[in-house]
Amino acid sequence: MLPSYEEFSRRAAAIQALIADACAGAGRRHDEVELLAVTKMHPVAAAEYAARYGLRAVGENRVQEGVEKRARTTAALRWELIGHLQSNKAKLAAQHFDRVQSVDSEKLLNHLDRAAADAGKVLPILVQINAGNDPAKFGADLAEAPALVELALTKTSLRVDGLMTIAPLGGTDAETAAHAERTFANLRTLRDELAARLGVPLRELSMGMTGDLLAAVKAGSTLVRVGTALFGSREKPPAG
Ligand SMILES: *Cc1c(COP(=O)(O)O)cnc(C)c1O
């Protein structure tokens, strides 16, 4: 169940205040960090709340779900794909999303570049990195990331805005927190190295979710992807 808009707006304001505090503590300007509302598994009204509050973008993790919701609202929003993307859905994703954050293979790069060209657009992307070396996560390994980013930069119908990662889960709370810090530091270091060596800004560091957003902002996140803290828990899909 979605909260009321009033409840949502209180939560959004509280998260913005947390981000602002974390930025102040890290010597960063708080407008360097955007709050991306993750609306997956919530009704289209969740996206409309985000727009009404003044957030500029929402994140969806399934292509079909995002396409359907986008068609049902006129809210002025950017729609970002944050979930794993299979090559056979690249065409649909390139047509209907404003940015794809989950680009993690050469094959997917090739499909998205062709699909964006066919759609007559330049598609912004982030390269997803498994910066926490988590066997359960998608994303390019840290070792193969430089070659993948270099290849992405050669694609004329893609625009590489930066990098994205998801911190590993599991272990005690303290272990999870330590893993998250290491993961975010790895992504930041990788970005700084690549930006210096390749002479491109790779400005965007999409990292941090409800459970680890403060650590992410400290480590240099420019985009925190928050679902649960804004909209409450997601309904489990029916079994089978
Ligand atoms: C679901 C999801 C989020 C949001 O997670 P919360 O814990 O609900 O804030 C962020 N990023 C990705 C890639 C997701 O799939």
Side-chain angles (χ1 to χ4, degrees):
M1 259 277 284
L2 268 192
S4 66
Y5 175 73
E6 287 65 33
E7 173 60 22
F8 165 83
S9 68
R10 274 192 294 274
R11 293 178 186 177
I15 294 164
Q16 296 282 36
L18 276 180
I19 292 171
D21 280 354
C23 284
R28 305 182 61 200
R29 291 202 331 262
H30 79 92
D31 61 1
E32 288 173 26
V33 184
E34 179 175 355
L35 174 58
L36 178 76
V38 176
T39 48
K40 67 181 185 199
M41 294 172 72
H42 289 295
V44 69
E48 289 171 341
Y49 281 8
R52 181 170 161 197
Y53 186 78
L55 302 182
R56 289 179 302 171
V58 292
E60 287 284 336
N61 73 334
R62 289 161 157 269
V63 175
Q64 199 63 44
E65 185 182 339
V67 170
E68 282 168 15
K69 282 186 205 167
R70 183 171 203 165
R72 296 213 311 272
T73 180
T74 54
L77 286 167
R78 287 187 286 109
W79 292 73
E80 305 212 16
L81 185 67
I82 60 175
H84 181 63
L85 176 60
Q86 284 168 332
S87 302
N88 63 3
K89 302 223 175 95
K91 186 171 175 167
L92 201 58
Q95 286 170 338
H96 294 279
F97 283 86
D98 298 298
R99 185 158 64 185
V100 175
Q101 298 199 10
S102 44
V103 181
D104 63 356
S105 73
E106 181 176 340
K107 185 176 175 198
L108 186 54
L109 271 180
N110 292 334
H111 277 78
L112 278 175
D113 185 46
R114 209 172 313 131
D118 288 347
K121 71 197 260 193
V122 173
L123 179 70
I125 64 161
L126 304 182
V127 177
Q128 182 177 353
I129 313 290
N130 187 1
N133 295 312
D134 181 350
K137 287 284 188 297
F138 292 109
D141 292 344
L142 279 166
E144 68 192 24
L148 194 61
V149 171
E150 283 191 57
L151 180 67
L153 290 166
T154 68
K155 301 295 183 190
T156 50
S157 297
L158 301 178
R159 186 187 83 200
V160 188
D161 288 346
L163 307 178
M164 181 271 228
T165 198
I166 307 172
L169 280 180
T172 64
D173 287 356
E175 282 164 357
T176 301
H179 281 152
E181 277 183 33
R182 202 168 328 122
T183 301
F184 300 150
N186 284 345
L187 196 72
R188 169 70 185 267
T189 302
L190 175 69
R191 192 280 305 276
D192 291 352
E193 282 171 8
L194 288 174
R197 181 160 65 77
L198 304 174
V200 288
L202 300 173
R203 191 191 156 272
E204 211 80 90
L205 282 179
S206 174
M207 55 190 196
M209 323 191 342
T210 293
D212 53 24
L213 82 119
L214 293 183
V217 170
K218 246 173 140 178
S221 174
T222 60
L223 193 59
V224 290
R225 310 177 305 263
V226 177
T228 307
L230 287 171
F231 301 112
S233 61
R234 293 173 283 270
E235 304 283 316
K236 285 236 161 55

